[in-house]
Amino acid sequence: MLEEKRKDLDSEKQKKILLRLVDALSQLDPDLYYRPTSDIALYLEKYIRSDAKLTSDERSLMERLSRRDLEVLLSLH
């Protein structure tokens, strides 16, 4: 039960971070909104692994996500 709560908390944190990163990338590329989800997920994946300003905890949370995970999270928003 505690493990489930931790996963839920991690998931919520990932969603918040993801939205923040999408917002940051949208500032750099206003046409991002019109791109396919798969392209945005690829862009995010590269951004997370390189230029994103994340704390070590945030980076650890986000690097767990595959490109497919990012696509799913993006489609839920």
Side-chain angles (χ1 to χ4, degrees):
M1 186 165 144
L2 187 59
E3 182 67 25
E4 281 183 38
K5 286 185 179 182
R6 186 175 191 292
K7 285 182 182 179
D8 288 344
L9 182 59
D10 285 351
S11 179
E12 288 302 314
K13 286 179 183 177
Q14 287 169 328
K15 288 177 192 175
K16 287 180 182 178
I17 296 167
L18 181 68
L19 292 176
R20 191 179 82 218
L21 294 175
V22 168
D23 186 52
L25 289 175
S26 294
Q27 299 297 319
L28 299 171
D29 183 0
D31 292 331
L32 188 70
Y33 178 82
Y34 301 103
R35 292 189 182 174
T37 303
S38 58
D39 289 355
I40 297 170
L42 175 62
Y43 197 28
L44 278 165
E45 185 179 45
K46 290 178 182 178
Y47 186 60
I48 289 166
R49 300 208 190 311
S50 60
D51 298 335
K53 291 182 179 19
L54 299 170
T55 66
S56 59
D57 289 340
E58 290 174 333
R59 189 169 302 280
S60 173
L61 274 174
M62 297 308 287
E63 285 182 343
R64 292 183 207 165
L65 299 173
S66 69
R67 187 176 312 154
R68 180 66 184 142
D69 294 334
L70 292 170
E71 288 177 22
V72 170
L73 286 173
L74 287 168
S75 67
L76 294 175
H77 175 53

